[in-house]
Amino acid sequence: MLLRDERDALCAIGRRLAGTGLVTGASGNVSVRSGDLVAVTPGGMMLDRMEPADCPVVNIEGRWVDGDKAPSSETPMHLALYEATPAAAIVHTHSTYGAVVATTMSELPPIHYNTLLLGGVVKVAEYATYGTPELAENVRTAMAGGKRAALMANHGGVTIGRDLEEAYENARLLEWLCGVYVRAKAIGEPRILTEEELAEVVERGLAPPDFPRV
């Protein structure tokens, strides 16, 4: 079995995503890259019920290499992000607060300095039908400039990382930030951190980690 360890890791992350409510049912998808190969979750399958053999492997051009099940319909988006960033893992969720922000706003402003860990202001990619080249391109545009996360209009969120653990934690952070914003709006207008305030935080050492070259 190609990429056995990576496929094991996809299953573990799938269970954690479902357990924390970042995905429901068969929504969301995850991938991990190893060289020119990518292990990805299968389409139409609940992420907490996957076995390693369920996770297909494609090459970086999208050609099916190994596995019995079809890759996620969002595989083109994953491949576009691998092409455009040094990421080694990608997590796409349909989390509640992320979907709320993605349905109502054009970006998630910096309401907390931990926004810096995702590369700053989180952009909302323009809407396009799931699984299409248009959506892949819109997400790639939203992630430009060293972003670690983006939201997708009327859809969900996507995060990248140097490994699956980091991509997963970035997904959790994105949902937390969206939740803080939505709850703050319920009691008043959230205070947004200024560029100067964020710069001071960077000077104190908080900044997104550098990606290694892949």
Side-chain angles (χ1 to χ4, degrees), residues 14 16-18 20-30 41-45 47 72-75 77-78 90-103 127-131 135 139 150-159 168 171-172 174-176 178:
R16 291 166 69 184
L17 287 168
T20 54
L22 291 173
V23 300
T24 56
S27 69
N29 35 78
V30 187
T41 51
M45 188 171 191
L47 298 191
S72 165
S73 60
E74 296 289 15
T75 299
M77 178 185 70
H78 290 247
I90 298 170
V91 170
H92 164 42
T93 66
H94 287 186
S95 57
T96 300
Y97 287 115
V100 169
V101 173
T103 303
Y127 180 80
T129 305
Y130 75 90
L135 179 60
V139 172
L151 293 164
M152 293 173 280
N154 302 84
H155 190 158
V158 59
T159 55
Y168 168 75
R172 290 213 307 157
L174 176 61
E175 177 67 355
W176 182 79
C178 289

Side-chain angles (χ1 to χ4, degrees), residues 45-64:
M45 188 171 191
M46 294 186 179
L47 298 191
D48 58 348
R49 300 183 185 181
M50 298 183 304
E51 297 295 334
D54 294 321
C55 299
V57 175
V58 299
N59 66 15
I60 204 66
E61 288 81 32
R63 183 173 61 85
W64 201 345

Side-chain angles (χ1 to χ4, degrees), residues 135-169:
L135 179 60
E137 183 57 32
N138 292 349
V139 172
R140 179 158 58 178
T141 298
M143 296 278 278
K147 304 290 186 182
R148 269 67 174 174
L151 293 164
M152 293 173 280
N154 302 84
H155 190 158
V158 59
T159 55
I160 63 175
R162 295 172 295 180
D163 52 35
L164 273 173
E165 185 67 26
E166 186 172 86
Y168 168 75
E169 289 300 331

Side-chain angles (χ1 to χ4, degrees), residues 3 11-12 19 26 85 111-112 125 162 187 193 210:
L3 304 188
C11 295
T85 75
I111 49 155
H112 191 281
R162 295 172 295 180
I187 61 173
L193 295 175
D210 292 331

